[in-house]
Amino acid sequence: MLIMAGGFGLCGVPEQLILAIRDSGVKNLTVVSNNCGIDGVGLGLLLDTKQIKKMVSSYVGENKTFAQQYLAGELEIEFNPQGTLAERIRAGGAGIPAFFTRTGAGTQIAEGKEQRQIDGGLYVMERGLVADLSIVHAWMGDTEGNLVYRKTARNFNPMMATAGKVTVAEIEHLVQPGDINPDHIITPGVYVKRLVHVPNAVKHIEQRTVRKRTAAPAGTGEEV
Amino acid sequence: MLIMAGGFGLCGVPEQLILAIRDSGVKNLTVVSNNCGIDGVGLGLLLDTKQIKKMVSSYVGENKTFAQQYLAGELEIEFNPQGTLAERIRAGGAGIPAFFTRTGAGTQIAEGKEQRQIDGGLYVMERGLVADLSIVHAWMGDTEGNLVYRKTARNFNPMMATAGKVTVAEIEHLVQPGDINPDHIITPGVYVKRLVHVPNAVKHIEQRTVRKRTAAPAGTGEEV
Amino acid sequence: MAWTRDQMAERAAQELRDGFYVNLGIGIPTLVSNYIPAGMSVQLQSENGMLGFGPFPYEGEEDPDLINAGKQTVTEILTTSYFSSADSFAMIRGGHIDLSILGAMQVAENGDLANWMIPGKMVKGMGGAMDLVAGVKKVVVVMEHSAKNEPKLLKHCTLPLTGAGVVDMVITDLGVFAIDKKGGGGMTLIELAPGATLDEVRNKTEASYRTSNAL
Amino acid sequence: MAWTRDQMAERAAQELRDGFYVNLGIGIPTLVSNYIPAGMSVQLQSENGMLGFGPFPYEGEEDPDLINAGKQTVTEILTTSYFSSADSFAMIRGGHIDLSILGAMQVAENGDLANWMIPGKMVKGMGGAMDLVAGVKKVVVVMEHSAKNEPKLLKHCTLPLTGAGVVDMVITDLGVFAIDKKGGGGMTLIELAPGATLDEVRNKTEASYRTSNAL
C-alpha cells in the first residue's frame, strides 16, 4: 500500500492520522513523505513498529531508527530531489503521468530514466505519483472538505490531497460551508473524502531558534 | 513578440494593459489567451488595429473581426485544448519544458507531436510556454507585487503571471505590504515586475443570465 | 413523441449520484441542473475555475467576476471554491470529477466523440471539451438522434475527434445507449423513449449496437 | 589569516543586488542574511513554501507552523507570502529566484557540484539542493578551500553530483573563483582573501584555473 503523508520536518504533519495508521497495524507500507519524522515523533512512530517497508523522501537525516533499519536492510529508501518529489505528487493529482525537469539531469538521480535535450538543455523524465491513501494536516476545514493551511504548515499537504485515491484530512478547526472565503480555499472539497477534527493538535519544533529581546540583530544569524 | 493575456471570456481581462499595447502600436504579436475578446472589447481591440499575427487559444467563437481576418489569411490560429493551454502556461512558469497528457490523444491535436503509451493509456507530449510579456488582471495587489484575484476572474491570470519574462499586473485595489494575509496571496511578488493601479476598472458581461425575483427555480435553467 | 430537450436532460439527471462532482456542457446539458433530485448533494464544476455554483443571479445582482464556463453570470453557494484554470483542469484531467454531460455532433460505436469542428467551416475551438472527455470518470453525451435525417451515431466518426474512445453513454431523443469504451464491448441500446420504436432507432442509427434484453 | 566563516558570508553578500530574491542554504550561507546592506531590499525564499522571511523569533514567540527550510523557527515580515512546496519549486525550477548560496563538498572546474552524498556512508538525502542548483539564475558556493588537506576544487568531482555544470562562483576562505559554466570558459581566480597568496591557492587547488589580471 502506498501512503502519502504531508508535512515538512515536523511542521504540518498529520500526527493523529499517523497514530491511527500505527494503531491499525497495517504493514509493508511504502510511504511518500518529504522526511520521516524524528525518533518517536511523526512517521518515526511507524518506524518503531516496523510498518514501513520503503520511504520515498528527499531528506531523512534526523532519525536514528531510520539509519539503523536502513543499515540492517529492513528499510528501503528512494531519494527524490525535493522539488521533483513535490512535482511528481502534483502531477499525479493532475493526471500527468510524466514530465521533464532539469533537476538531477546528468546526475545519479537520472540513471535508469529517460534523459533528453530540449531547447539546448538536458532534462530528465520523471513520473507522476498517485497514492492509495493520502493523509494531510490542515488548519481549518468545512464539512464540505474545503481546506486552508496555516503558514509553512502548508508545504506538501495540498498536492498530496490531490494525489490520493482516498484523502483523509485532519483539521485543527472545523467550520461550516460558507465560513471560509471561497477565494481563500486552497484544497477544494472534491479532493477530501474524510475529515478528522483534531482541536488540540500537539505541534513539535525541530530546531528552536530564537533571538533575545535585548539583542535584535538585523538578520537571522543568532542561534540559541 | 509573444504576449500572454489573462482572462476567460471578458472576465478578469487586463483591459487597460491591452489598451496600452494598442497605443504602443507594436505589431506582429503572437498572443496566448484563452479567448480573443469580442468585437471592440478586450483583445478584439488589437484585432481592429491588426496588431495580432497569431492567436494561441482554446475558443475564439465570439468575434466577427476574428473570423474575417482569419478567412482573409491575415490571422493565424493555433487551437489548444483549454486544459492543455492552462497546463502549458503553468509548465512554462515552473521550468517544465514538456509533459504528457491524455487530452487530445488519438485526435488531430496530437498530429506532429510525440504520443506514447504510459501504463496502458495513450498520452500526448505537450510543451511548456513562456512569454516575452504577460499581462494579467488582479483584484488587489501590494507594492511588493503580491496579488489576489476575485472569484472566477482568477482563471488564467496566476499561471500567466509566472510564465512571463516580464509580467505586468493591473490591479483594482492597491494596498501596502502586510495588508494582504500572506496565507491568501495567490501570486507572490517575485513574479510581478510592474503594477498598474486601475481603480475604476470597467467590466463587461458576455452572457447576462438572470432569474426573476418572483420565480426562483432550483437550477440554472432560466435564461433571460 | 420521443423525448423533448427537457426530458433528455431529466433522463441524464438519473445518472447523478449523491456526492457527485459534475461538469455540465452548454445547451441541453445545462438543463440537467434543473432536475437534480431534492435532497441529493451534487456540486457543479465550471472549468474556468469554480467548484459549486448556484442558479443565475437575480436581476441587478450580476457580477462580471462570477461566470461559468458558458460565460453566463451565475451565483456563489455555501460550498463554492475558486481556483485557477490550471488547477481546474488538474481536477478534471486527474479524474476527480465524477460525471461530464455534454453535447456532440457524432458519436461512434467505440466511444469516439466529435463535437468541435467541421472541416471547411469556421472553427471556434474546442474549449475544455477535449480535457473533459479525456479526464472525467464518466462521460455522458446528450444529443438529437439525427441531424437533418443524417445519423449521428456512427460506425466511425467522419468529423475530427474530440476524444478517442471516451463516451460511456449517449442519451438521444429516441433512447439511451451504453458504450463499453474500455472493455471494447461496443454499444448497447438500453432504453427507448416513450413512443420511440426499435425499428425507428434501427433506421436512424448507422452504428452497430446490441439491444438490451429488457427491451 | 584568510577569511573566517563570517567574512566568507560577508563576501557572498556582495553578490546581492537590490530587489533580489535569494535562497540561502544551511551553514555559512545562512549567515549571509546578516550582511544584507542597509537600504537594500532582498527577499529570502525558503523552499518549503515561503517568500520573504525575517529573523528568528523572540524567545517565547516561536511558531511551530512557521519554519524555514532548515526547520528553524523564523518570523513573518510585511512582504511574506506562503505557498505549497510544489509552487515553491515551480518558482525555483522556473528560474524566478535570482541567487542561491549554498555549501559544497566538491566543485569541479566546469561547474559540477557535489554536496549530497558520500558513497559508503549513510546518506541523508539531497533535500532541495538539486532543484536549487538546476533552477536558480546564479549559484554561488561558499565552502572551506580544502577539507583535511584534501582539495575540494577539483578537475572532476569524485563524489556523486548534485548538479552538472551548475556553479557560477565559489567563495572559499582563500578567495573567490568565477566559473563560466555556460560558455565553457572554465574557472578563474578573481579575488584573494587578505593574507592568502597565489601560491597557497595554487597548492591547495586541484582544478585548473586562470588568475585574473587584477591579482
Side-chain angles (χ1 to χ4, degrees):
Chain A
M1 186 181 191
L2 195 152
I3 295 181
M4 289 183 186
F8 174 84
L10 301 180
C11 180
V13 170
E15 292 251 347
Q16 291 305 309
L17 299 177
I18 290 171
L19 283 172
I21 288 171
R22 184 194 63 179
D23 295 347
S24 80
V26 60
K27 299 258 182 199
N28 292 316
L29 297 175
T30 296
V31 178
V32 176
S33 189
N34 189 60
N35 314 97
C36 195
I38 61 173
D39 292 293
V41 181
L43 290 171
L45 293 167
L46 303 185
L47 290 176
D48 291 340
T49 51
K50 302 201 174 177
Q51 291 172 268
I52 301 179
K53 178 184 67 177
K54 178 180 176 181
M55 287 297 304
V56 180
S57 303
S58 85
Y59 191 83
V60 295
E62 321 295 358
N63 201 307
K64 281 174 203 148
T65 314
F66 190 99
Q68 285 161 5
Q69 294 188 11
Y70 175 77
L71 293 171
E74 298 171 347
L75 184 61
E76 243 182 292
I77 169 82
E78 176 188 321
F79 283 116
N80 281 200
Q82 192 175 341
T84 294
L85 183 63
E87 188 66 15
R88 291 183 69 192
I89 298 163
R90 192 260 173 200
I96 295 188
F99 61 90
F100 287 90
T101 173
R102 200 179 291 119
T103 301
T107 78
Q108 202 175 75
I109 285 299
E111 283 171 19
K113 296 173 187 165
E114 177 176 334
Q115 288 194 81
R116 69 162 84 175
Q117 291 281 341
I118 302 179
D119 297 340
L122 185 65
Y123 292 86
V124 195
M125 192 177 92
E126 296 280 359
R127 299 293 308 275
L129 275 176
V130 172
D132 298 303
L133 170 66
S134 282
I135 55 172
V136 303
H137 179 95
W139 170 247
M140 189 180 286
D142 66 25
T143 54
E144 182 69 18
N146 293 308
L147 305 181
V148 293
Y149 306 89
R150 183 170 176 273
K151 304 187 188 287
T152 56
R154 191 184 304 188
N155 56 63
F156 281 78
N157 288 297
M159 300 85 82
M160 288 184 172
T162 70
K165 287 176 196 160
V166 175
T167 292
V168 183
E170 63 170 49
I171 54 174
E172 298 180 44
H173 300 277
L174 176 64
V175 297
Q176 293 305 306
D179 287 347
I180 307 174
N181 180 330
D183 278 330
H184 299 164
I185 291 167
I186 301 297
T187 296
V190 62
Y191 292 112
V192 179
K193 293 288 180 293
R194 305 275 185 278
L195 273 185
V196 178
H197 184 200
V198 180
N200 296 303
V202 177
K203 298 181 186 181
H204 304 270
I205 291 178
E206 205 162 331
Q207 304 282 339
R208 187 178 303 272
T209 46
V210 299
R211 58 184 157 146
K212 297 222 192 294
R213 279 190 191 278
T214 44
T220 60
E222 189 190 350
E223 214 167 299
V224 175
Chain B
M1 186 180 192
L2 194 153
I3 295 180
M4 290 184 185
F8 174 84
L10 301 181
C11 180
V13 170
E15 293 251 348
Q16 291 305 309
L17 299 178
I18 291 171
L19 283 172
I21 289 171
R22 184 194 63 183
D23 294 347
S24 80
V26 60
K27 299 260 183 197
N28 292 316
L29 297 175
T30 296
V31 178
V32 176
S33 190
N34 189 61
N35 314 97
C36 195
I38 61 174
D39 291 293
V41 181
L43 289 171
L45 292 167
L46 303 186
L47 290 176
D48 291 341
T49 51
K50 302 200 174 177
Q51 290 171 269
I52 301 178
K53 179 185 67 178
K54 179 180 175 181
M55 286 297 303
V56 180
S57 303
S58 85
Y59 192 83
V60 294
E62 322 296 358
N63 200 308
K64 280 175 202 145
T65 314
F66 190 100
Q68 285 160 6
Q69 293 187 12
Y70 176 77
L71 294 171
E74 297 170 345
L75 184 61
E76 242 183 291
I77 170 80
E78 176 190 321
F79 283 116
N80 281 199
Q82 192 175 340
T84 294
L85 182 63
E87 189 65 16
R88 291 184 69 192
I89 298 163
R90 191 262 173 197
I96 295 189
F99 61 90
F100 286 90
T101 174
R102 199 180 292 120
T103 301
T107 78
Q108 198 177 314
I109 284 300
E111 284 171 19
K113 295 173 188 164
E114 179 178 332
Q115 288 193 85
R116 71 162 83 175
Q117 291 281 341
I118 303 179
D119 296 340
L122 185 65
Y123 293 85
V124 194
M125 192 177 91
E126 295 281 0
R127 298 294 308 275
L129 274 176
V130 173
D132 298 302
L133 170 67
S134 281
I135 54 173
V136 303
H137 179 95
W139 169 246
M140 189 179 287
D142 66 26
T143 53
E144 182 69 18
N146 294 307
L147 305 180
V148 293
Y149 305 89
R150 183 170 177 272
K151 303 187 190 286
T152 56
R154 190 182 305 188
N155 54 64
F156 282 78
N157 287 298
M159 300 85 80
M160 288 184 173
T162 70
K165 287 176 199 160
V166 175
T167 292
V168 182
E170 62 170 51
I171 54 174
E172 298 180 43
H173 301 276
L174 177 65
V175 297
Q176 293 305 307
D179 287 348
I180 307 175
N181 180 330
D183 279 329
H184 300 165
I185 290 167
I186 301 296
T187 297
V190 63
Y191 292 113
V192 179
K193 293 288 180 294
R194 304 276 186 280
L195 274 183
V196 178
H197 185 200
V198 180
N200 296 301
V202 177
K203 299 182 186 181
H204 303 271
I205 291 177
E206 205 163 331
Q207 303 283 340
R208 186 177 304 271
T209 46
V210 298
R211 57 185 160 146
K212 297 224 192 295
R213 277 188 192 277
T214 46
T220 61
E222 188 189 350
E223 213 168 301
V224 174
Chain C
M1 300 310 292
W3 277 326
T4 62
R5 286 163 55 93
D6 272 296
Q7 286 169 324
M8 290 161 71
E10 191 171 2
R11 174 58 189 83
Q14 288 180 27
E15 302 305 313
L16 301 172
R17 298 290 176 272
D18 193 42
F20 260 26
Y21 295 89
V22 178
N23 186 294
L24 301 177
I26 294 168
I28 302 176
T30 301
L31 301 176
V32 173
S33 63
N34 293 332
Y35 299 100
I36 300 173
M40 183 182 281
S41 165
V42 169
Q43 300 297 322
L44 302 178
Q45 204 255 16
S46 186
E47 62 264 32
N48 46 327
M50 184 180 193
L51 184 64
F53 61 87
F56 295 147
Y58 291 119
E59 276 188 88
E61 295 185 358
E62 311 90 307
D63 183 340
D65 289 342
L66 183 38
I67 64 172
N68 66 14
K71 284 129 188 169
Q72 299 170 316
T73 44
V74 292
T75 51
E76 204 169 278
I77 57 178
L78 289 178
T79 54
T80 297
S81 57
Y82 299 106
F83 32 83
S84 73
S85 300
D87 288 342
S88 181
F89 282 95
M91 195 180 279
I92 289 166
R93 199 190 304 105
H96 305 285
I97 302 298
D98 297 292
L99 181 62
S100 171
I101 304 179
L102 73 176
M105 297 171 181
Q106 301 180 334
V107 176
E109 60 194 54
N110 66 348
D112 286 358
L113 168 69
N115 75 351
W116 81 282
M117 75 173 286
I118 301 174
K121 287 206 178 178
M122 181 67 200
V123 181
K124 294 183 171 186
M126 72 291 281
M130 283 194 174
D131 308 282
L132 283 160
V133 300
V136 171
K137 284 183 200 156
K138 180 170 181 173
V139 174
V140 173
V141 164
V142 181
M143 66 177 190
E144 302 295 327
H145 200 91
S146 35
K148 298 175 187 163
N149 291 323
E150 291 294 318
K152 300 175 68 171
L153 279 164
L154 305 174
K155 291 192 184 305
H156 304 282
C157 292
T158 57
L159 296 172
L161 296 187
T162 304
V166 294
V167 177
D168 293 283
M169 178 178 275
V170 182
I171 298 169
T172 77
D173 47 325
L174 300 185
V176 181
F177 295 82
I179 298 179
D180 180 21
K181 71 182 180 191
K182 286 276 164 62
M187 200 162 84
T188 307
L189 176 65
I190 58 171
E191 278 178 51
L192 268 183
T197 65
L198 291 176
D199 275 352
E200 182 182 9
V201 171
R202 182 74 59 195
N203 290 337
K204 293 181 171 173
T205 307
E206 181 202 290
S208 51
Y209 60 91
R210 285 188 308 285
T211 300
S212 162
N213 294 336
L215 297 181
Chain D
M1 302 302 296
W3 277 325
T4 63
R5 286 164 55 93
D6 271 295
Q7 286 169 324
M8 289 160 70
E10 191 171 3
R11 174 57 189 83
Q14 288 180 28
E15 301 306 311
L16 300 171
R17 298 289 176 272
D18 193 42
F20 260 25
Y21 295 88
V22 178
N23 187 293
L24 300 178
I26 295 168
I28 303 176
T30 302
L31 301 176
V32 174
S33 63
N34 294 330
Y35 299 99
I36 299 172
M40 183 183 280
S41 165
V42 170
Q43 299 296 322
L44 301 179
Q45 205 254 16
S46 186
E47 61 265 32
N48 46 326
M50 184 179 194
L51 185 63
F53 62 87
F56 295 147
Y58 290 119
E59 277 188 86
E61 295 186 357
E62 312 90 308
D63 183 340
D65 289 343
L66 182 39
I67 64 172
N68 66 16
K71 285 128 187 171
Q72 299 170 315
T73 43
V74 293
T75 51
E76 203 169 280
I77 56 177
L78 290 178
T79 53
T80 297
S81 55
Y82 299 106
F83 31 83
S84 74
S85 299
D87 287 343
S88 181
F89 282 95
M91 196 180 279
I92 289 166
R93 199 189 304 106
H96 305 285
I97 302 298
D98 297 292
L99 180 62
S100 170
I101 303 179
L102 75 173
M105 297 171 183
Q106 301 180 334
V107 176
E109 59 193 56
N110 66 349
D112 286 359
L113 168 69
N115 74 351
W116 80 282
M117 75 173 287
I118 301 174
K121 287 206 179 179
M122 180 68 200
V123 181
K124 294 183 170 186
M126 71 292 279
M130 284 195 175
D131 308 282
L132 283 160
V133 300
V136 170
K137 283 182 200 156
K138 180 171 181 173
V139 174
V140 173
V141 164
V142 181
M143 65 178 191
E144 302 296 326
H145 200 91
S146 36
K148 300 173 187 167
N149 292 321
E150 292 294 317
K152 299 176 68 173
L153 279 164
L154 305 173
K155 290 191 184 305
H156 304 283
C157 292
T158 58
L159 296 172
L161 296 186
T162 304
V166 294
V167 178
D168 294 283
M169 177 177 276
V170 183
I171 298 170
T172 77
D173 46 326
L174 300 185
V176 181
F177 295 82
I179 298 178
D180 180 20
K181 70 183 182 193
K182 287 276 163 61
M187 201 162 84
T188 308
L189 175 65
I190 59 172
E191 279 178 54
L192 270 182
T197 65
L198 291 176
D199 275 351
E200 182 183 8
V201 171
R202 182 71 62 194
N203 290 335
K204 293 182 172 173
T205 306
E206 182 202 289
S208 52
Y209 61 90
R210 284 189 309 286
T211 300
S212 162
N213 294 336
L215 297 181

